[in-house]
Amino acid sequence: MNDEIVDVLASSRLFEGVDRKDIGAMLDCLGAVGRTFEKGQVVFARGERMGAVAVLTAGRVAIQDDDWWGRRTIVDVIAPGGVFLESYALPGSPGLMNDVVALEDGVVVLLDAAKVMTTCSSACAMHTRVLVNLLSSLAGRNRALVRRLSTLSRRTTREKILSYLSQEAARQGSSSFTIPLDRQALADYLAVDRSAMSSELSRMRKDALVDFHTSSFTLLSPSESGT
């Protein structure tokens, strides 16, 4: 693995607490394999069995669900450093319920799940740390799903948008932030019609709730909006 990939892995949740200089040796221990992909490519297909823990090291991918009629819902968007599909890595896990599609050109590193789950013969502390981090990642994934359910349970398009933007503002620690989704992807994530969502965003801007340009948003307080 090149230095750029190792740098991203060092900043990922999976390798938190592991010294960067030790990651290269750990990748050999964990049977790491890199896979490149191009924008628009199905990186992992529905029904595919993983047997590996995936860490995105470049680009972005969307975990998406397409129904029988081709209607798309984005379940999650993964950015560099993101650990994903952990729930499908365990032995005996079913095939993927969703497709993973590339939003940009990129690279994913696959770690052999059996080797991740079984500490090596030397029982090194680093390997144990990775295993603990994997469990933490699974817990974080569960919390993210709860947040998403909270957003999707809102009754109106405006309420869904406000819920999502509020969560992003809290996650990024600022009232001004950039979301990882374009308009179509945001509509797919919120499970709403794109044109209806765009119209609602315009009304929200008119009502001085938000300001935005492409994927950059600012949440406005009453004092900032002049109300």
Side-chain angles (χ1 to χ4, degrees), residues 2 11 23 46 59 62 66 74 114 129 138 151 158 200 204 226:
N2 62 43
S11 66
I23 291 178
R46 180 184 303 188
D66 295 329
I74 291 181
R129 180 73 256 174
L138 281 166
T151 294
R158 175 175 290 205
E200 189 59 52
M204 290 167 63

Side-chain angles (χ1 to χ4, degrees):
M1 300 289 172
N2 62 43
D3 288 343
E4 291 182 1
I5 290 178
V6 172
D7 286 341
V8 176
L9 291 173
S11 66
S12 74
R13 173 179 288 179
L14 191 63
F15 287 94
E16 184 177 350
V18 177
D19 195 305
R20 184 194 181 285
K21 65 181 176 57
D22 295 321
I23 291 178
M26 288 207 69
L27 293 178
D28 290 335
C29 176
L30 300 175
V33 176
R35 181 189 297 183
T36 61
F37 53 81
E38 298 179 352
K39 181 178 179 180
Q41 179 180 339
V42 176
V43 184
F44 303 108
R46 180 184 303 188
E48 184 174 346
R49 293 184 179 274
M50 289 297 297
V53 178
V55 186
L56 192 68
T57 58
R60 290 184 306 138
V61 298
I63 301 174
Q64 65 185 46
D65 179 58
D66 295 329
D67 66 17
W68 183 267
W69 297 273
R71 293 176 299 192
R72 176 169 301 162
T73 299
I74 291 181
V75 178
D76 201 359
V77 174
I78 310 300
V83 183
F84 62 110
L85 304 181
E86 312 97 310
S87 300
Y88 298 94
L90 297 172
S93 296
L96 299 181
M97 294 177 61
N98 309 105
D99 291 326
V100 179
V101 179
L103 299 177
E104 303 169 349
D105 295 351
V107 180
V108 63
V109 172
L110 301 176
L111 307 175
D112 187 305
K115 293 181 178 180
V116 173
M117 303 296 176
T118 306
T119 55
C120 52
S121 57
S122 59
C124 66
M126 295 178 296
H127 198 146
T128 302
R129 180 73 256 174
V130 169
L131 185 55
V132 170
N133 289 344
L134 179 60
L135 294 175
S136 175
S137 180
L138 281 166
R141 180 74 56 199
N142 184 62
R143 291 191 295 271
L145 288 173
V146 170
R147 290 193 297 270
R148 176 165 165 73
L149 286 173
S150 174
T151 294
L152 294 181
S153 66
R154 304 305 170 100
R155 294 179 179 272
T156 67
T157 297
R158 175 175 290 205
E159 289 173 345
K160 290 181 179 181
I161 295 171
L162 287 174
S163 175
Y164 172 76
L165 294 179
S166 294
Q167 290 176 12
E168 279 297 302
R171 185 178 70 84
Q172 299 188 40
S174 174
S175 60
S176 296
F177 51 89
T178 300
I179 66 173
L181 305 169
D182 60 22
R183 287 292 184 270
Q184 184 59 59
L186 178 59
D188 291 341
Y189 182 83
L190 298 176
V192 297
D193 178 76
R194 175 179 175 173
S195 60
M197 183 193 72
S198 295
S199 296
E200 189 59 52
L201 280 170
S202 296
R203 286 191 289 269
M204 290 167 63
R205 172 185 270 165
K206 184 177 180 181
D207 293 342
L209 290 170
V210 300
D211 194 15
F212 55 85
H213 176 69
T214 59
S215 295
S216 297
F217 285 81
T218 297
L219 304 187
L220 303 177
S221 65
S223 60
E224 292 171 323
S225 63
T227 60

